[in-house]
Amino acid sequence: MLELAILGLLQESPMHGYELRKELTAKLGAIRAAISYGSLYPTLRRLQAAGWITEAAETPATAEEVPALTSRRGRVVYKITAEGKERFAELIAQAGPETYDDTGFGVHFAFFARTDQATRLRILEGRRRTIEERREGLRDVLGRAAERLDAYTLELQRHGLDACEREVRWLEELIANERSGRAPTVPQPGTAGGRRDNNSPPPPGESRTERP
């Protein structure tokens, strides 16, 4: 999934490693905990060895762009190759079970604008089945073991069930839009729709949290 995300971002413009990390965190907030220098740079080296990305140049690093306790040496800028673009097209067309879990779905959904409609629909339907199964599992736990759970564990299970139910409704809306050829509505800044309220479904891979 990190491979797909890196190739997708580098199609937009060349970037150095620290900039890539920031863009990945911004674009894939649901999996930001998994994005670290420990996983990013080995993946960059692997993509480079495969010929999918190449080094473009080195640029001076500024104090604002360098994390504490790291060197200010020149930054290597990476750009995608023609082979890398082909690899991205291959990855973005996948719609197997690995695209239905939280991380896989979040990454693929972030690049849905570059994914064909049939693939988007297969991924959305697969994700809905996955969340429906998770929802039924939580319902089963609450139905059979609620009396044996302490209040906090019970509340956590209910929170998980609530998140699943909201995501299923959100996915059903997206699937209906795909089948009718409509894109999701993008709220305009400054309008009431520009801020997600407590009744809105969570972003892909996230559970609902209370908001003021």
Side-chain angles (χ1 to χ4, degrees):
M1 293 299 109
L2 187 55
E3 176 183 312
L4 168 64
I6 290 171
L7 292 175
L9 286 174
L10 290 181
Q11 285 215 75
E12 298 174 1
S13 67
M15 299 182 191
H16 56 77
Y18 184 59
E19 185 180 10
L20 263 172
R21 185 175 183 240
K22 291 194 299 182
E23 290 297 318
L24 286 165
T25 302
K27 196 172 187 71
L28 311 173
I31 62 167
R32 59 185 175 271
I35 305 300
S36 68
Y37 284 110
S39 57
L40 176 60
Y41 284 97
T43 304
L44 286 170
R45 289 193 293 270
R46 181 167 54 81
L47 295 177
Q48 193 171 3
W52 296 330
I53 65 173
T54 187
E55 295 181 7
E58 286 195 2
T59 58
T62 64
E64 293 79 11
E65 294 176 321
V66 178
L69 305 180
T70 60
S71 169
R72 290 187 59 185
R73 65 180 183 275
R75 303 163 301 177
V76 175
V77 176
Y78 300 93
K79 65 179 181 180
I80 193 168
T81 64
E83 292 80 5
K85 292 178 180 179
E86 291 177 1
R87 175 60 175 166
F88 176 77
E90 176 186 329
L91 292 172
I92 207 70
Q94 293 178 358
E98 70 279 0
T99 67
Y100 308 155
D101 63 25
D102 292 347
T103 299
F105 179 72
V107 173
H108 274 266
F109 193 85
F111 294 101
F112 258 23
R114 303 187 210 171
T115 307
D116 67 83
Q117 183 184 24
T119 301
R120 291 197 303 263
L121 191 55
R122 288 197 300 272
I123 292 174
L124 289 170
E125 290 174 339
R127 175 66 175 180
R128 181 178 61 182
R129 289 192 300 272
T130 297
I131 299 304
E132 285 174 339
E133 291 172 1
R134 187 181 300 174
R135 179 188 63 187
E136 294 312 306
L138 287 168
R139 284 176 175 171
D140 185 57
V141 168
L142 287 170
R144 292 186 299 103
E147 67 280 359
R148 300 197 302 272
L149 300 176
D150 64 75
Y152 292 100
T153 303
L154 185 60
E155 187 61 26
L156 182 62
Q157 297 296 320
R158 286 173 175 163
H159 174 73
L161 178 58
D162 179 61
C164 287
E165 290 174 340
R166 289 176 180 276
E167 185 167 353
V168 167
R169 290 196 295 272
W170 174 67
L171 289 165
E172 287 175 343
E173 180 180 346
L174 288 172
I175 289 169
N177 286 342
E178 288 293 337
R179 288 174 175 164
S180 63
R182 298 193 308 270
T185 302
V186 179
Q188 295 299 316
T191 65
R195 180 177 180 273
R196 184 161 62 91
D197 61 26
N198 286 342
N199 293 321
S200 301
E206 288 188 7
S207 61
R208 174 176 173 265
T209 55
E210 293 298 325
R211 294 172 178 264

